[in-house]
Amino acid sequence: MVDKLNWAILQELQKDARASFSEIGRKVGLSSPAVAERMKKMEDAGVINSYKVNISHQKTGYQLRAVITLRAFTGRLKAFLETVSTYKEVLNCYRITGNENIIMEVILKDQVNLEKLIDQLITYGETRTHIILSKVVDDAPILPR
């Protein structure tokens, strides 16, 4: 399903998901209808799941980014997993292996909001917080195999 041309289309979409079929076609060497047909097939097959907006959180007043790990107390992991989606500050949350059970990327307005979030999280387990200073690598593009 994902041949060389589809990989090229996917890479162009990752650069700009709003690019027109004709723009993508010029870059990958296909006609506009051919690009549209390939994208539709990739959507139907679940290769393309959605198109998203990339928001500048800093410009919306959310200046503080952090990574928080959680080592759940015995019997508290399930309760946390049922609740985590209600925290508006959580951008991403992953269940992981190792000493901690959870790693989250969060965005907050300031340290006061970070403290409030941590106060909520410590009812589920031991937390460790790392403030993000800067982004070193942008979202890595997919690479064909």
Side-chain angles (χ1 to χ4, degrees), residues 87-132:
Y87 293 115
K88 63 180 175 38
E89 303 88 351
V90 177
L91 294 177
N92 294 297
C93 180
Y94 305 96
R95 195 165 172 188
I96 59 172
T97 61
N99 290 331
E100 288 87 10
N101 307 95
I102 299 292
I103 188 167
M104 296 169 273
E105 180 184 2
V106 299
I107 185 99
L108 306 117
K109 289 188 176 204
D110 53 32
Q111 291 88 336
V112 172
N113 293 107
L114 175 61
E115 184 177 11
K116 288 178 184 177
L117 177 62
I118 291 170
D119 287 347
Q120 293 174 320
L121 295 175
I122 60 175
T123 64
Y124 297 101
E126 180 183 323
T127 64
R128 184 172 294 150
T129 303
H130 306 274
I131 303 298
I132 297 173

mmCIF file of all heavy atoms in Angstrom, residues 87-132:
data_model
loop_
_atom_site.group_PDB
_atom_site.id
_atom_site.type_symbol
_atom_site.label_atom_id
_atom_site.label_comp_id
_atom_site.label_asym_id
_atom_site.label_seq_id
_atom_site.Cartn_x
_atom_site.Cartn_y
_atom_site.Cartn_z
ATOM 1 N N TYR A 87 -7.384 15.676 32.244
ATOM 2 C CA TYR A 87 -6.444 16.759 32.532
ATOM 3 C C TYR A 87 -6.152 17.521 31.246
ATOM 4 O O TYR A 87 -5.482 17.022 30.350
ATOM 5 C CB TYR A 87 -5.139 16.206 33.114
ATOM 6 C CG TYR A 87 -5.291 15.594 34.481
ATOM 7 C CD1 TYR A 87 -5.080 14.237 34.673
ATOM 8 C CD2 TYR A 87 -5.626 16.379 35.574
ATOM 9 C CE1 TYR A 87 -5.215 13.670 35.934
ATOM 10 C CE2 TYR A 87 -5.762 15.823 36.833
ATOM 11 C CZ TYR A 87 -5.561 14.470 37.006
ATOM 12 O OH TYR A 87 -5.694 13.912 38.247
ATOM 13 N N LYS A 88 -6.637 18.749 31.154
ATOM 14 C CA LYS A 88 -6.467 19.539 29.932
ATOM 15 C C LYS A 88 -5.006 19.905 29.679
ATOM 16 O O LYS A 88 -4.635 20.206 28.547
ATOM 17 C CB LYS A 88 -7.337 20.787 29.979
ATOM 18 C CG LYS A 88 -6.985 21.761 31.091
ATOM 19 C CD LYS A 88 -7.897 22.974 31.072
ATOM 20 C CE LYS A 88 -7.709 23.932 32.202
ATOM 21 N NZ LYS A 88 -6.414 24.201 32.691
ATOM 22 N N GLU A 89 -4.173 19.835 30.692
ATOM 23 C CA GLU A 89 -2.760 20.194 30.542
ATOM 24 C C GLU A 89 -1.945 19.110 29.841
ATOM 25 O O GLU A 89 -0.847 19.376 29.361
ATOM 26 C CB GLU A 89 -2.115 20.432 31.919
ATOM 27 C CG GLU A 89 -2.780 21.493 32.769
ATOM 28 C CD GLU A 89 -3.919 20.940 33.650
ATOM 29 O OE1 GLU A 89 -4.318 19.773 33.486
ATOM 30 O OE2 GLU A 89 -4.399 21.700 34.500
ATOM 31 N N VAL A 90 -2.452 17.902 29.788
ATOM 32 C CA VAL A 90 -1.691 16.766 29.252
ATOM 33 C C VAL A 90 -1.807 16.725 27.733
ATOM 34 O O VAL A 90 -2.890 16.526 27.184
ATOM 35 C CB VAL A 90 -2.163 15.438 29.870
ATOM 36 C CG1 VAL A 90 -1.418 14.259 29.258
ATOM 37 C CG2 VAL A 90 -1.964 15.460 31.385
ATOM 38 N N LEU A 91 -0.663 16.940 27.053
ATOM 39 C CA LEU A 91 -0.634 16.862 25.588
ATOM 40 C C LEU A 91 -0.501 15.422 25.120
ATOM 41 O O LEU A 91 -1.157 15.006 24.174
ATOM 42 C CB LEU A 91 0.558 17.661 25.037
ATOM 43 C CG LEU A 91 0.542 19.164 25.221
ATOM 44 C CD1 LEU A 91 1.827 19.764 24.670
ATOM 45 C CD2 LEU A 91 -0.662 19.772 24.537
ATOM 46 N N ASN A 92 0.394 14.680 25.761
ATOM 47 C CA ASN A 92 0.650 13.282 25.425
ATOM 48 C C ASN A 92 0.860 12.507 26.711
ATOM 49 O O ASN A 92 1.440 13.025 27.659
ATOM 50 C CB ASN A 92 1.914 13.145 24.556
ATOM 51 C CG ASN A 92 1.747 13.783 23.205
ATOM 52 O OD1 ASN A 92 0.915 13.374 22.416
ATOM 53 N ND2 ASN A 92 2.547 14.806 22.923
ATOM 54 N N CYS A 93 0.400 11.275 26.710
ATOM 55 C CA CYS A 93 0.600 10.415 27.868
ATOM 56 C C CYS A 93 0.845 9.004 27.370
ATOM 57 O O CYS A 93 0.101 8.499 26.525
ATOM 58 C CB CYS A 93 -0.640 10.454 28.769
ATOM 59 S SG CYS A 93 -0.469 9.417 30.239
ATOM 60 N N TYR A 94 1.919 8.395 27.874
ATOM 61 C CA TYR A 94 2.303 7.055 27.445
ATOM 62 C C TYR A 94 2.503 6.157 28.658
ATOM 63 O O TYR A 94 3.056 6.591 29.667
ATOM 64 C CB TYR A 94 3.617 7.091 26.655
ATOM 65 C CG TYR A 94 3.581 8.021 25.480
ATOM 66 C CD1 TYR A 94 4.076 9.316 25.580
ATOM 67 C CD2 TYR A 94 3.051 7.608 24.260
ATOM 68 C CE1 TYR A 94 4.037 10.179 24.493
ATOM 69 C CE2 TYR A 94 3.018 8.458 23.173
ATOM 70 C CZ TYR A 94 3.509 9.744 23.297
ATOM 71 O OH TYR A 94 3.471 10.591 22.220
ATOM 72 N N ARG A 95 2.086 4.926 28.528
ATOM 73 C CA ARG A 95 2.401 3.903 29.527
ATOM 74 C C ARG A 95 3.731 3.308 29.103
ATOM 75 O O ARG A 95 3.906 2.939 27.943
ATOM 76 C CB ARG A 95 1.306 2.839 29.536
ATOM 77 C CG ARG A 95 1.366 1.968 30.737
ATOM 78 C CD ARG A 95 0.089 1.199 30.893
ATOM 79 N NE ARG A 95 0.285 0.241 31.972
ATOM 80 C CZ ARG A 95 -0.575 -0.697 32.275
ATOM 81 N NH1 ARG A 95 -1.702 -0.807 31.603
ATOM 82 N NH2 ARG A 95 -0.324 -1.528 33.252
ATOM 83 N N ILE A 96 4.684 3.222 30.030
ATOM 84 C CA ILE A 96 6.047 2.830 29.683
ATOM 85 C C ILE A 96 6.555 1.705 30.581
ATOM 86 O O ILE A 96 5.964 1.398 31.606
ATOM 87 C CB ILE A 96 7.008 4.043 29.785
ATOM 88 C CG1 ILE A 96 7.012 4.625 31.205
ATOM 89 C CG2 ILE A 96 6.635 5.109 28.762
ATOM 90 C CD1 ILE A 96 8.073 5.686 31.447
ATOM 91 N N THR A 97 7.686 1.142 30.163
ATOM 92 C CA THR A 97 8.372 0.141 30.980
ATOM 93 C C THR A 97 9.405 0.847 31.847
ATOM 94 O O THR A 97 9.736 1.998 31.623
ATOM 95 C CB THR A 97 9.077 -0.897 30.097
ATOM 96 O OG1 THR A 97 10.049 -0.223 29.292
ATOM 97 C CG2 THR A 97 8.088 -1.631 29.215
ATOM 98 N N GLY A 98 9.922 0.149 32.828
ATOM 99 C CA GLY A 98 10.944 0.717 33.697
ATOM 100 C C GLY A 98 10.390 1.011 35.078
ATOM 101 O O GLY A 98 9.324 0.515 35.459
ATOM 102 N N ASN A 99 11.098 1.840 35.819
ATOM 103 C CA ASN A 99 10.686 2.164 37.185
ATOM 104 C C ASN A 99 9.385 2.948 37.241
ATOM 105 O O ASN A 99 8.605 2.806 38.172
ATOM 106 C CB ASN A 99 11.780 2.947 37.915
ATOM 107 C CG ASN A 99 12.981 2.084 38.208
ATOM 108 O OD1 ASN A 99 12.855 0.878 38.370
ATOM 109 N ND2 ASN A 99 14.147 2.694 38.269
ATOM 110 N N GLU A 100 9.179 3.823 36.264
ATOM 111 C CA GLU A 100 7.939 4.583 36.209
ATOM 112 C C GLU A 100 6.941 3.849 35.320
ATOM 113 O O GLU A 100 7.315 3.068 34.455
ATOM 114 C CB GLU A 100 8.180 5.995 35.657
ATOM 115 C CG GLU A 100 8.920 6.909 36.618
ATOM 116 C CD GLU A 100 10.432 6.805 36.516
ATOM 117 O OE1 GLU A 100 10.919 6.164 35.560
ATOM 118 O OE2 GLU A 100 11.125 7.345 37.376
ATOM 119 N N ASN A 101 5.658 4.131 35.526
ATOM 120 C CA ASN A 101 4.597 3.517 34.726
ATOM 121 C C ASN A 101 4.135 4.423 33.594
ATOM 122 O O ASN A 101 3.644 3.948 32.582
ATOM 123 C CB ASN A 101 3.367 3.215 35.595
ATOM 124 C CG ASN A 101 3.699 2.407 36.810
ATOM 125 O OD1 ASN A 101 3.915 2.975 37.872
ATOM 126 N ND2 ASN A 101 3.743 1.099 36.679
ATOM 127 N N ILE A 102 4.270 5.727 33.807
ATOM 128 C CA ILE A 102 3.665 6.723 32.916
ATOM 129 C C ILE A 102 4.672 7.831 32.624
ATOM 130 O O ILE A 102 5.421 8.243 33.514
ATOM 131 C CB ILE A 102 2.420 7.359 33.594
ATOM 132 C CG1 ILE A 102 1.350 6.313 33.889
ATOM 133 C CG2 ILE A 102 1.862 8.516 32.769
ATOM 134 C CD1 ILE A 102 0.676 5.714 32.677
ATOM 135 N N ILE A 103 4.633 8.334 31.390
ATOM 136 C CA ILE A 103 5.354 9.558 31.051
ATOM 137 C C ILE A 103 4.374 10.466 30.314
ATOM 138 O O ILE A 103 3.632 10.012 29.444
ATOM 139 C CB ILE A 103 6.637 9.286 30.230
ATOM 140 C CG1 ILE A 103 7.457 10.568 30.071
ATOM 141 C CG2 ILE A 103 6.317 8.656 28.893
ATOM 142 C CD1 ILE A 103 8.862 10.336 29.564
ATOM 143 N N MET A 104 4.349 11.732 30.721
ATOM 144 C CA MET A 104 3.412 12.705 30.153
ATOM 145 C C MET A 104 4.149 13.940 29.692
ATOM 146 O O MET A 104 5.097 14.383 30.341
ATOM 147 C CB MET A 104 2.408 13.170 31.214
ATOM 148 C CG MET A 104 1.496 12.126 31.743
ATOM 149 S SD MET A 104 0.587 12.735 33.193
ATOM 150 C CE MET A 104 1.770 12.337 34.474
ATOM 151 N N GLU A 105 3.699 14.499 28.603
ATOM 152 C CA GLU A 105 4.143 15.831 28.191
ATOM 153 C C GLU A 105 2.996 16.766 28.526
ATOM 154 O O GLU A 105 1.852 16.524 28.128
ATOM 155 C CB GLU A 105 4.433 15.866 26.695
ATOM 156 C CG GLU A 105 4.891 17.230 26.220
ATOM 157 C CD GLU A 105 5.081 17.299 24.716
ATOM 158 O OE1 GLU A 105 4.830 16.305 24.007
ATOM 159 O OE2 GLU A 105 5.467 18.379 24.254
ATOM 160 N N VAL A 106 3.296 17.828 29.276
ATOM 161 C CA VAL A 106 2.249 18.751 29.715
ATOM 162 C C VAL A 106 2.603 20.174 29.301
ATOM 163 O O VAL A 106 3.772 20.512 29.115
ATOM 164 C CB VAL A 106 2.023 18.674 31.244
ATOM 165 C CG1 VAL A 106 1.586 17.276 31.657
ATOM 166 C CG2 VAL A 106 3.259 19.093 32.013
ATOM 167 N N ILE A 107 1.577 20.994 29.187
ATOM 168 C CA ILE A 107 1.743 22.413 28.866
ATOM 169 C C ILE A 107 0.906 23.210 29.863
ATOM 170 O O ILE A 107 -0.247 22.854 30.126
ATOM 171 C CB ILE A 107 1.334 22.698 27.412
ATOM 172 C CG1 ILE A 107 1.619 24.122 27.017
ATOM 173 C CG2 ILE A 107 -0.093 22.388 27.141
ATOM 174 C CD1 ILE A 107 2.873 24.268 26.249
ATOM 175 N N LEU A 108 1.541 24.233 30.443
ATOM 176 C CA LEU A 108 0.880 25.001 31.483
ATOM 177 C C LEU A 108 1.187 26.486 31.315
ATOM 178 O O LEU A 108 2.147 26.862 30.659
ATOM 179 C CB LEU A 108 1.377 24.547 32.860
ATOM 180 C CG LEU A 108 1.250 23.050 33.099
ATOM 181 C CD1 LEU A 108 2.592 22.428 33.298
ATOM 182 C CD2 LEU A 108 0.336 22.780 34.242
ATOM 183 N N LYS A 109 0.376 27.308 31.984
ATOM 184 C CA LYS A 109 0.604 28.753 31.911
ATOM 185 C C LYS A 109 1.823 29.171 32.731
ATOM 186 O O LYS A 109 2.567 30.039 32.321
ATOM 187 C CB LYS A 109 -0.631 29.518 32.380
ATOM 188 C CG LYS A 109 -1.763 29.422 31.391
ATOM 189 C CD LYS A 109 -2.906 30.332 31.758
ATOM 190 C CE LYS A 109 -3.942 30.225 30.658
ATOM 191 N NZ LYS A 109 -4.796 31.365 30.570
ATOM 192 N N ASP A 110 1.999 28.546 33.893
ATOM 193 C CA ASP A 110 3.077 28.980 34.777
ATOM 194 C C ASP A 110 3.347 27.934 35.852
ATOM 195 O O ASP A 110 2.708 26.881 35.886
ATOM 196 C CB ASP A 110 2.740 30.334 35.421
ATOM 197 C CG ASP A 110 1.376 30.335 36.106
ATOM 198 O OD1 ASP A 110 0.948 29.281 36.618
ATOM 199 O OD2 ASP A 110 0.735 31.398 36.139
ATOM 200 N N GLN A 111 4.263 28.267 36.764
ATOM 201 C CA GLN A 111 4.651 27.345 37.834
ATOM 202 C C GLN A 111 3.513 27.076 38.805
ATOM 203 O O GLN A 111 3.421 25.990 39.376
ATOM 204 C CB GLN A 111 5.864 27.894 38.613
ATOM 205 C CG GLN A 111 7.136 27.904 37.830
ATOM 206 C CD GLN A 111 7.324 29.202 37.029
ATOM 207 O OE1 GLN A 111 6.383 29.912 36.699
ATOM 208 N NE2 GLN A 111 8.562 29.503 36.697
ATOM 209 N N VAL A 112 2.652 28.046 39.005
ATOM 210 C CA VAL A 112 1.504 27.856 39.907
ATOM 211 C C VAL A 112 0.614 26.739 39.375
ATOM 212 O O VAL A 112 0.194 25.843 40.120
ATOM 213 C CB VAL A 112 0.705 29.172 40.073
ATOM 214 C CG1 VAL A 112 -0.586 28.941 40.838
ATOM 215 C CG2 VAL A 112 1.554 30.235 40.759
ATOM 216 N N ASN A 113 0.358 26.755 38.076
ATOM 217 C CA ASN A 113 -0.459 25.699 37.475
ATOM 218 C C ASN A 113 0.257 24.357 37.490
ATOM 219 O O ASN A 113 -0.378 23.309 37.642
ATOM 220 C CB ASN A 113 -0.857 26.079 36.053
ATOM 221 C CG ASN A 113 -1.799 27.258 36.020
ATOM 222 O OD1 ASN A 113 -1.397 28.356 35.649
ATOM 223 N ND2 ASN A 113 -3.025 27.063 36.421
ATOM 224 N N LEU A 114 1.583 24.373 37.344
ATOM 225 C CA LEU A 114 2.362 23.138 37.432
ATOM 226 C C LEU A 114 2.230 22.537 38.823
ATOM 227 O O LEU A 114 2.003 21.338 38.981
ATOM 228 C CB LEU A 114 3.829 23.391 37.095
ATOM 229 C CG LEU A 114 4.774 22.194 37.261
ATOM 230 C CD1 LEU A 114 4.367 21.042 36.356
ATOM 231 C CD2 LEU A 114 6.209 22.620 36.973
ATOM 232 N N GLU A 115 2.338 23.376 39.834
ATOM 233 C CA GLU A 115 2.213 22.889 41.208
ATOM 234 C C GLU A 115 0.833 22.275 41.456
ATOM 235 O O GLU A 115 0.714 21.208 42.069
ATOM 236 C CB GLU A 115 2.460 24.029 42.194
ATOM 237 C CG GLU A 115 2.443 23.591 43.644
ATOM 238 C CD GLU A 115 2.772 24.714 44.605
ATOM 239 O OE1 GLU A 115 2.808 25.890 44.194
ATOM 240 O OE2 GLU A 115 2.986 24.397 45.787
ATOM 241 N N LYS A 116 -0.216 22.915 40.947
ATOM 242 C CA LYS A 116 -1.579 22.380 41.107
ATOM 243 C C LYS A 116 -1.714 21.019 40.424
ATOM 244 O O LYS A 116 -2.333 20.105 40.980
ATOM 245 C CB LYS A 116 -2.604 23.355 40.540
ATOM 246 C CG LYS A 116 -2.789 24.603 41.371
ATOM 247 C CD LYS A 116 -3.781 25.552 40.715
ATOM 248 C CE LYS A 116 -3.886 26.843 41.503
ATOM 249 N NZ LYS A 116 -4.783 27.817 40.845
ATOM 250 N N LEU A 117 -1.142 20.887 39.231
ATOM 251 C CA LEU A 117 -1.205 19.609 38.524
ATOM 252 C C LEU A 117 -0.468 18.528 39.301
ATOM 253 O O LEU A 117 -0.983 17.419 39.478
ATOM 254 C CB LEU A 117 -0.638 19.741 37.107
ATOM 255 C CG LEU A 117 -0.598 18.449 36.298
ATOM 256 C CD1 LEU A 117 -1.992 17.876 36.085
ATOM 257 C CD2 LEU A 117 0.112 18.675 34.970
ATOM 258 N N ILE A 118 0.721 18.850 39.778
ATOM 259 C CA ILE A 118 1.496 17.869 40.540
ATOM 260 C C ILE A 118 0.741 17.456 41.803
ATOM 261 O O ILE A 118 0.714 16.279 42.164
ATOM 262 C CB ILE A 118 2.901 18.416 40.875
ATOM 263 C CG1 ILE A 118 3.727 18.525 39.586
ATOM 264 C CG2 ILE A 118 3.608 17.523 41.890
ATOM 265 C CD1 ILE A 118 5.034 19.266 39.744
ATOM 266 N N ASP A 119 0.093 18.412 42.455
ATOM 267 C CA ASP A 119 -0.706 18.090 43.644
ATOM 268 C C ASP A 119 -1.803 17.079 43.325
ATOM 269 O O ASP A 119 -2.129 16.214 44.145
ATOM 270 C CB ASP A 119 -1.317 19.358 44.254
ATOM 271 C CG ASP A 119 -0.304 20.231 44.973
ATOM 272 O OD1 ASP A 119 0.832 19.753 45.235
ATOM 273 O OD2 ASP A 119 -0.625 21.409 45.246
ATOM 274 N N GLN A 120 -2.379 17.173 42.132
ATOM 275 C CA GLN A 120 -3.400 16.204 41.726
ATOM 276 C C GLN A 120 -2.768 14.849 41.413
ATOM 277 O O GLN A 120 -3.305 13.802 41.772
ATOM 278 C CB GLN A 120 -4.163 16.710 40.502
ATOM 279 C CG GLN A 120 -5.017 17.926 40.787
ATOM 280 C CD GLN A 120 -5.634 18.488 39.523
ATOM 281 O OE1 GLN A 120 -5.004 18.555 38.479
ATOM 282 N NE2 GLN A 120 -6.887 18.892 39.625
ATOM 283 N N LEU A 121 -1.622 14.883 40.730
ATOM 284 C CA LEU A 121 -0.977 13.641 40.309
ATOM 285 C C LEU A 121 -0.427 12.824 41.466
ATOM 286 O O LEU A 121 -0.416 11.594 41.403
ATOM 287 C CB LEU A 121 0.140 13.941 39.311
ATOM 288 C CG LEU A 121 -0.281 14.531 37.972
ATOM 289 C CD1 LEU A 121 0.945 14.893 37.141
ATOM 290 C CD2 LEU A 121 -1.196 13.578 37.221
ATOM 291 N N ILE A 122 0.030 13.481 42.525
ATOM 292 C CA ILE A 122 0.662 12.732 43.620
ATOM 293 C C ILE A 122 -0.330 11.878 44.393
ATOM 294 O O ILE A 122 0.085 11.035 45.184
ATOM 295 C CB ILE A 122 1.471 13.639 44.574
ATOM 296 C CG1 ILE A 122 0.593 14.694 45.228
ATOM 297 C CG2 ILE A 122 2.647 14.260 43.849
ATOM 298 C CD1 ILE A 122 1.318 15.538 46.279
ATOM 299 N N THR A 123 -1.613 12.033 44.137
ATOM 300 C CA THR A 123 -2.580 11.116 44.756
ATOM 301 C C THR A 123 -2.523 9.737 44.096
ATOM 302 O O THR A 123 -3.020 8.766 44.653
ATOM 303 C CB THR A 123 -4.021 11.666 44.670
ATOM 304 O OG1 THR A 123 -4.406 11.756 43.304
ATOM 305 C CG2 THR A 123 -4.123 13.022 45.342
ATOM 306 N N TYR A 124 -1.915 9.671 42.902
ATOM 307 C CA TYR A 124 -1.814 8.406 42.169
ATOM 308 C C TYR A 124 -0.445 7.748 42.308
ATOM 309 O O TYR A 124 -0.305 6.566 42.060
ATOM 310 C CB TYR A 124 -2.100 8.626 40.682
ATOM 311 C CG TYR A 124 -3.494 9.114 40.442
ATOM 312 C CD1 TYR A 124 -3.746 10.457 40.194
ATOM 313 C CD2 TYR A 124 -4.570 8.232 40.480
ATOM 314 C CE1 TYR A 124 -5.035 10.907 39.979
ATOM 315 C CE2 TYR A 124 -5.871 8.680 40.268
ATOM 316 C CZ TYR A 124 -6.086 10.025 40.017
ATOM 317 O OH TYR A 124 -7.365 10.470 39.810
ATOM 318 N N GLY A 125 0.570 8.537 42.658
ATOM 319 C CA GLY A 125 1.897 7.965 42.769
ATOM 320 C C GLY A 125 2.969 9.019 42.906
ATOM 321 O O GLY A 125 2.695 10.204 43.081
ATOM 322 N N GLU A 126 4.191 8.563 42.799
ATOM 323 C CA GLU A 126 5.362 9.436 42.921
ATOM 324 C C GLU A 126 5.667 10.047 41.553
ATOM 325 O O GLU A 126 5.743 9.347 40.551
ATOM 326 C CB GLU A 126 6.545 8.587 43.386
ATOM 327 C CG GLU A 126 7.829 9.337 43.556
ATOM 328 C CD GLU A 126 8.951 8.393 43.948
ATOM 329 O OE1 GLU A 126 8.703 7.440 44.716
ATOM 330 O OE2 GLU A 126 10.070 8.613 43.459
ATOM 331 N N THR A 127 5.819 11.364 41.526
ATOM 332 C CA THR A 127 6.085 12.051 40.263
ATOM 333 C C THR A 127 7.527 12.548 40.201
ATOM 334 O O THR A 127 8.168 12.760 41.230
ATOM 335 C CB THR A 127 5.153 13.262 40.071
ATOM 336 O OG1 THR A 127 5.425 14.234 41.083
ATOM 337 C CG2 THR A 127 3.698 12.847 40.092
ATOM 338 N N ARG A 128 7.984 12.722 38.995
ATOM 339 C CA ARG A 128 9.276 13.363 38.731
ATOM 340 C C ARG A 128 9.037 14.316 37.564
ATOM 341 O O ARG A 128 8.502 13.911 36.540
ATOM 342 C CB ARG A 128 10.331 12.326 38.380
ATOM 343 C CG ARG A 128 11.712 12.945 38.191
ATOM 344 C CD ARG A 128 12.793 11.910 38.036
ATOM 345 N NE ARG A 128 12.927 11.183 39.287
ATOM 346 C CZ ARG A 128 13.307 9.920 39.376
ATOM 347 N NH1 ARG A 128 13.596 9.242 38.296
ATOM 348 N NH2 ARG A 128 13.416 9.328 40.534
ATOM 349 N N THR A 129 9.405 15.583 37.726
ATOM 350 C CA THR A 129 9.113 16.616 36.739
ATOM 351 C C THR A 129 10.388 17.156 36.130
ATOM 352 O O THR A 129 11.354 17.434 36.840
ATOM 353 C CB THR A 129 8.325 17.769 37.393
ATOM 354 O OG1 THR A 129 7.132 17.231 37.987
ATOM 355 C CG2 THR A 129 7.952 18.828 36.384
ATOM 356 N N HIS A 130 10.361 17.314 34.808
ATOM 357 C CA HIS A 130 11.480 17.890 34.067
ATOM 358 C C HIS A 130 10.930 19.032 33.223
ATOM 359 O O HIS A 130 10.045 18.814 32.386
ATOM 360 C CB HIS A 130 12.127 16.846 33.151
ATOM 361 C CG HIS A 130 12.535 15.597 33.865
ATOM 362 N ND1 HIS A 130 13.741 15.472 34.497
ATOM 363 C CD2 HIS A 130 11.873 14.437 34.074
ATOM 364 C CE1 HIS A 130 13.819 14.272 35.050
ATOM 365 N NE2 HIS A 130 12.700 13.629 34.815
ATOM 366 N N ILE A 131 11.444 20.240 33.433
ATOM 367 C CA ILE A 131 11.018 21.399 32.653
ATOM 368 C C ILE A 131 11.707 21.337 31.287
ATOM 369 O O ILE A 131 12.916 21.119 31.196
ATOM 370 C CB ILE A 131 11.398 22.720 33.361
ATOM 371 C CG1 ILE A 131 10.781 22.776 34.767
ATOM 372 C CG2 ILE A 131 10.989 23.926 32.518
ATOM 373 C CD1 ILE A 131 9.283 22.762 34.815
ATOM 374 N N ILE A 132 10.948 21.538 30.226
ATOM 375 C CA ILE A 132 11.507 21.551 28.873
ATOM 376 C C ILE A 132 12.030 22.951 28.593
ATOM 377 O O ILE A 132 11.291 23.938 28.698
ATOM 378 C CB ILE A 132 10.443 21.141 27.837
ATOM 379 C CG1 ILE A 132 9.985 19.704 28.095
ATOM 380 C CG2 ILE A 132 10.981 21.320 26.408
ATOM 381 C CD1 ILE A 132 8.817 19.254 27.241
#
